[in-house]
Amino acid sequence: MIAAFSIPSPDWDGFEIPVPWGTLPIRAYALCILLGIILATIMTSRRLTKRGAEPGIVLDIVLWAVPLGIVGARLYHVLTHPGDYFYEGANVWNPFEHGAIWNIWEGGNAIYGSLIGGAIGAYIGCRMTGIRFWSFADALAPGLLLAQATGRLGNWFNHELFGSPTDLPWGLEISSDNAAFPAGLEDGTLFHPTFLYEIVWNLAGVALILFLERKINLRWGKAFAVYLIWYGLGRSVFESIRVDPSEMFLGVRVNVWASFAAILLGIVIFLLQRRRHTGDEPTPYEPGREWKGADAEVDSDETESDSDSLDDDVEGGNDTGETAATSSSRSTSP
């Protein structure tokens, strides 16, 4: 029986554009991911510019991070779902036939894979532009959660990755003829809307990072560490109630283990960077590669002023007479 406040699954999942050779399908899921990338880029650019970076330099990094993030997302999915691609008679390599490992348009992307691939791309982009990797990562952290929240709407449009059955009034409606509908359940069974849980959790994470930045020093990679801890905590819970098939290790879903790894990595980064860097971050650039623009030293709405979040009440802020940062040339490397 459908509850009064249950969440219906949308009938619309995209549209088609006529092209000379037929039609080009535009999927709602792809639009959600694209919107997420745009929002994250805008937010990251604004944050990095306020910290002293050249306006628009984020695009030079994103051009590396996004493609490698997509490659990483697909590769991680294929490796963690080998049974879907490597079996007798499977089309593994031919992209012009259904089921090839390259056919990303058929679905199958993994956020943890995109984080790994995107981090590699961001590192390359940072090396080329002179931006400190951790400066970029900190500026990206809340935008990344915003992008992931937006992208999760795509799962709703695709009627996929929902949780176990529930009697809660906000249960998600899934048609019984959906291939992912668990066998043996009655038509009208409601499921946990894990896409919605993660959207709310990620948006709360955006607010948390922005709040903490006004209270403590979250530079030198610490904001990104908070992101890893927050996202890992939420994903470990939401992943554990999903009913879609997944590779298991020691009776636990692989992505739950990946979430635990993200939490641990975040804790290590936070503690290590807190110990190595007790002062403010003087510039988002590597030493000797600072931006030399005409207004690079002008304090305006586009640059962070003394009244901004990392001054008066920063954790470990500098006492009178201390240097602006405790880093040596060794510790300023990404």
Side-chain angles (χ1 to χ4, degrees):
M1 180 178 179
I2 302 299
F5 300 103
S6 60
I7 303 172
S9 292
D11 295 328
W12 182 82
D13 68 347
F15 56 92
E16 295 183 343
I17 299 177
V19 292
W21 58 86
T23 59
L24 177 65
I26 305 297
R27 299 304 180 200
Y29 183 78
L31 293 176
C32 290
I33 293 177
L34 180 60
L35 178 58
I37 292 173
I38 293 173
L39 292 176
T41 300
I42 293 173
M43 188 173 190
T44 304
S45 180
R46 178 171 175 78
R47 284 165 55 82
L48 201 58
T49 300
K50 287 184 67 176
R51 299 177 182 195
E54 179 184 0
I57 199 169
V58 164
L59 293 177
D60 295 333
I61 302 174
V62 168
L63 288 175
W64 285 94
V66 171
L68 288 182
I70 293 174
V71 171
R74 181 62 174 181
L75 181 61
Y76 184 98
H77 172 79
V78 170
L79 293 179
T80 55
H81 295 78
D84 295 343
Y85 300 95
F86 304 99
Y87 55 88
E88 185 176 356
N91 168 44
V92 178
W93 309 111
N94 187 352
F96 298 103
E97 295 182 8
H98 176 76
I101 61 174
W102 324 105
N103 297 1
I104 194 170
W105 52 88
E106 295 176 358
N109 302 290
I111 288 178
Y112 283 122
S114 69
L115 289 177
I116 296 171
I120 295 173
Y123 181 80
I124 295 173
C126 286
R127 295 290 292 180
M128 296 184 67
T129 59
I131 294 289
R132 299 177 194 266
F133 175 78
W134 289 123
S135 297
F136 174 78
D138 286 339
L140 173 67
L144 192 53
L145 284 169
L146 179 60
Q148 289 172 324
T150 306
R152 278 303 177 198
L153 279 174
N155 297 140
W156 181 49
F157 284 109
N158 276 4
H159 307 190
E160 63 183 2
L161 307 186
F162 46 85
S164 56
T166 180
D167 294 327
L168 294 171
W170 57 79
L172 178 65
E173 300 174 18
I174 296 293
S175 174
S176 59
D177 60 3
N178 188 315
F181 194 93
L185 295 181
E186 296 181 0
D187 186 19
T189 298
L190 299 179
F191 300 88
H192 281 289
T194 50
F195 80 93
L196 180 60
Y197 296 163
E198 191 164 328
I199 288 175
V200 173
W201 181 262
N202 289 346
L203 293 179
V206 174
L208 175 67
I209 291 176
L210 296 179
F211 172 77
L212 289 178
E213 283 183 333
R214 295 182 177 275
K215 301 298 180 181
I216 62 176
N217 187 338
L218 284 188
R219 300 291 180 91
W220 303 107
K222 293 191 281 281
F224 189 73
V226 172
Y227 157 79
L228 289 173
I229 296 169
W230 183 262
Y231 182 73
L233 284 171
R235 182 65 184 273
S236 65
V237 175
F238 308 141
E239 181 75 25
S240 65
I241 64 174
R242 279 171 31 176
V243 297
D244 55 293
S246 175
E247 289 295 306
M248 308 290 284
F249 181 70
L250 298 179
V252 178
R253 293 168 70 99
V254 168
N255 279 334
V256 174
W257 285 112
S259 299
F260 293 159
I263 296 170
L264 179 60
L265 179 61
I267 293 173
V268 170
I269 291 174
F270 189 92
L271 294 178
L272 181 61
Q273 295 298 83
R274 183 179 182 182
R275 180 177 179 181
R276 294 178 65 193
H277 304 286
T278 59
D280 290 353
E281 185 181 69
T283 170
Y285 286 93
E286 292 284 356
R289 302 192 65 182
E290 291 81 1
W291 176 42
K292 302 300 183 182
D295 59 345
E297 301 300 327
V298 176
D299 184 16
S300 66
D301 290 341
E302 293 301 318
T303 58
E304 203 163 53
S305 65
D306 291 340
S307 62
D308 282 327
S309 59
L310 290 179
D311 187 43
D312 294 336
D313 52 355
V314 71
E315 181 186 60
N318 300 320
D319 295 329
T320 302
E322 287 186 331
T323 57
T326 59
S327 308
S328 63
S329 60
R330 173 184 58 81
S331 60
T332 54
S333 61

